[in-house]
């Protein structure tokens, strides 16, 4: 009964949702900012991995609440009954990633992955458990390892009010679908800040050619961290005068990022942990420094549940390249698509696109894909 009530509330919220302003802002490739050497999937999103679904609930209330929930589902079935292999990598452990020890112990996840704000983790997890327990076939279940990650959006969001409610979790789960993924100031990225500008949700993918295994790797990020923004090697933060440890701005380097990696490659927990660690290479390329107060986490899972013919160790390198590139590009997308937001403690501006393009052109980093040989697919 509770699940039906929550889903009804979610449908009502979705029916009154406003068009996303992010539609007017470009992704990285719209600006000619092509990251790396591997081709993206058709959507350049985590949903290029067949079966993966993403849904958002954006929570904007009054002048101070700017937060939300983002749900990532490995497949369209009951994840508890049809678990997928998974692993976690930690760049810096200043965070509240719920469910991490059981993932590490068993090498699998048994619930959708939720992302939200720091002080909403437990409320989101409680709602997720309530919803799952109401599903058919779950009547005898007595233990659920809810997987919930977070970043601290307390600049734009009145985080102490802990505004995420069960209907928001139900909305995100109910909205989860394949296809294009909304990015920027939506869902769990509604109130986030990255490199001093507006952060948010971003996604990207890489589709390996058949000669390198033919597998797909997709990444979704919740960006909310500091450092010196670098885009394809161009020092954007430095050139625009906004970067960590700059005394005149009082800019802090702390913050957090959640990175979710999906792949259809047949990987077990050990191989997925290796893959998750390489996502941190992509994070580092954007100018992050994994500072003391930054919770930098990667959750990686495979949608291939058979595990009959695992990718051998010496064939993992193309997947490593893919996840690093997709993570880097997903972070750029999270910021480029984000809009200026005014909230609890002021206004955080979005990246100034014209000035960013000027810096990218000054360093000659746009259009790199045009120099690559044909036939990468």
């Amino acid at each position: 009964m509770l699940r039906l009530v929550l889903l009804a509330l979610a449908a009502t919220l979705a029916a009154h949702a406003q068009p996303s302003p992010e539609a007017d802002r470009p992704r990285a490739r719209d600006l000619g900012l092509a990251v790396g050497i591997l081709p993206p999937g058709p959507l350049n999103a985590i949903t290029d991995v067949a079966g993966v679904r993403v849904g958002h609930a954006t929570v904007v209330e009054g002048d101070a609440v700017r937060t939300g929930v983002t749900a990532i589902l490995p497949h369209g079935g009951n994840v508890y009954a049809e678990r997928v292999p998974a692993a976690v990598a930690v760049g810096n452990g200043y965070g509240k990633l719920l469910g991490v020890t059981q993932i590490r112990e068993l090498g699998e996840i048994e619930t959708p992955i939720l992302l939200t704000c720091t002080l909403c983790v437990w409320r989101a997890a409680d709602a997720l458990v309530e919803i799952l327990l109401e599903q058919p076939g779950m009547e005898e279940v007595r233990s659920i390892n809810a997987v919930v990650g977070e970043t601290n959006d307390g600049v734009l969001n009145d985080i102490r009010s802990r505004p995420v409610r069960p209907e928001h979790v139900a909305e995100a789960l109910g909205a989860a679908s394949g296809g294009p993924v909304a990015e920027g100031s939506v869902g769990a990225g509604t109130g986030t800040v990255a490199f001093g500008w507006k952060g948010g949700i971003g996604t990207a993918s890489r589709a390996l050619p058949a000669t390198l295994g033919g597998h797909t790797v997709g990444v979704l990020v919740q960006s909310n961290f500091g450092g010196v923004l670098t885009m394809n090697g161009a020092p954007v933060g430095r050139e625009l005068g906004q970067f960590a440890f700059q005394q005149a701005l009082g800019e802090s380097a702390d913050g957090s990022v959640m990175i979710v990696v999906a792949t259809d490659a047949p990987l077990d927990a050990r191989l997925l942990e290796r893959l998750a660690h390489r996502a941190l290479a992509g994070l580092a390329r954007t100018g992050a420094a994994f500072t003391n107060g930054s919770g930098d986490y990667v959750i990686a899972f495979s949608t291939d549940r058979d595990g009959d013919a695992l990718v051998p160790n010496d064939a993992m390198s193309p997947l490593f390249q893919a996840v690093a590139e997709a993570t880097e590009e997903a972070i750029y997308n999270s910021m480029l698509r984000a809009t200026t937001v005014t909230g609890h403690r002021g206004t955080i501006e979005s990246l100034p696109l014209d000035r960013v393009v000027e810096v990218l052109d000054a360093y000659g980093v746009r259009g790199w894909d045009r120099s690559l040989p044909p036939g990468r697919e």
Side-chain angles (χ1 to χ4, degrees), residues 326-346:
T327 300
E328 181 181 1
E329 188 167 341
I331 291 169
Y332 299 154
N333 286 336
S334 76
M335 298 183 66
L336 289 167
R337 294 281 281 167
T339 53
T340 298
V341 172
T342 298
H344 185 48
R345 297 184 179 181

Side-chain angles (χ1 to χ4, degrees), residues 10-190:
T12 301
L13 290 168
H16 291 87
Q18 297 299 313
S20 171
E22 285 76 13
D24 296 328
R25 290 183 59 89
R27 305 185 81 199
R29 288 178 185 257
D30 297 330
L31 296 180
L33 190 65
V35 175
I37 58 171
L38 297 171
L43 298 171
N44 198 12
I46 194 172
T47 47
D48 283 323
V49 179
V52 175
R53 303 179 178 192
V54 175
H56 301 296
T58 299
V59 184
V60 175
E61 297 172 354
D63 296 328
V65 172
R66 304 287 185 270
T67 193
V69 179
T70 294
I72 303 96
L73 282 63
H75 55 75
N78 183 327
V79 182
Y80 185 87
E82 301 176 78
R83 305 173 189 188
V84 297
V88 172
V90 181
N92 189 66
Y94 191 93
K96 289 79 186 164
L97 176 55
L98 198 64
V100 61
T101 57
Q102 186 168 315
I103 295 174
R104 286 183 157 173
E105 184 69 21
L106 301 183
E108 61 189 18
I109 56 173
E110 60 186 37
T111 72
I113 298 166
L114 298 185
L115 306 179
T116 189
C117 74
T118 297
L119 293 184
C120 298
V121 165
W122 304 278
R123 290 191 171 180
D126 188 59
L128 177 61
V129 169
E130 287 283 354
I131 292 169
L132 295 180
L133 287 176
E134 292 289 334
Q135 289 186 348
M138 301 286 283
E139 293 83 4
E140 300 301 320
V141 171
R142 300 177 65 181
S143 173
I144 296 179
N145 187 48
V147 180
V148 185
E150 53 78 27
T151 69
N152 191 315
D153 56 14
V155 174
L156 290 170
N157 178 43
D158 181 10
I159 199 168
R160 287 175 59 88
S161 70
R162 306 178 70 199
V164 166
R165 300 186 294 274
E167 60 264 31
H168 300 134
V169 174
E171 181 183 357
L173 292 170
S177 65
V181 176
E183 297 172 294
S185 308
V186 296
T190 301

Side-chain angles (χ1 to χ4, degrees), residues 257-352:
V257 62
M258 286 298 310
I259 303 170
V260 178
V261 177
T263 184
D264 57 9
L267 306 180
D268 62 7
R270 181 185 64 82
L271 293 170
L272 284 165
E273 184 174 356
R274 298 187 71 203
L275 185 69
H277 278 291
R278 272 59 176 196
L280 296 172
L283 173 61
R285 292 173 189 172
T286 69
F290 308 89
T291 55
N292 178 69
S294 187
D296 308 315
Y297 295 95
V298 186
I299 304 173
F301 65 85
S302 171
T303 59
D304 186 311
R305 302 194 293 277
D306 295 332
D308 294 332
L310 297 177
V311 175
N313 286 321
D314 59 6
M316 286 293 294
S317 292
L319 293 169
F320 294 162
Q321 180 75 25
V323 76
E325 290 186 10
T327 300
E328 181 181 1
E329 188 167 341
I331 291 169
Y332 299 154
N333 286 336
S334 76
M335 298 183 66
L336 289 167
R337 294 281 281 167
T339 53
T340 298
V341 172
T342 298
H344 185 48
R345 297 184 179 181
T347 298
I348 300 296
E349 300 288 338
S350 60
L351 269 177

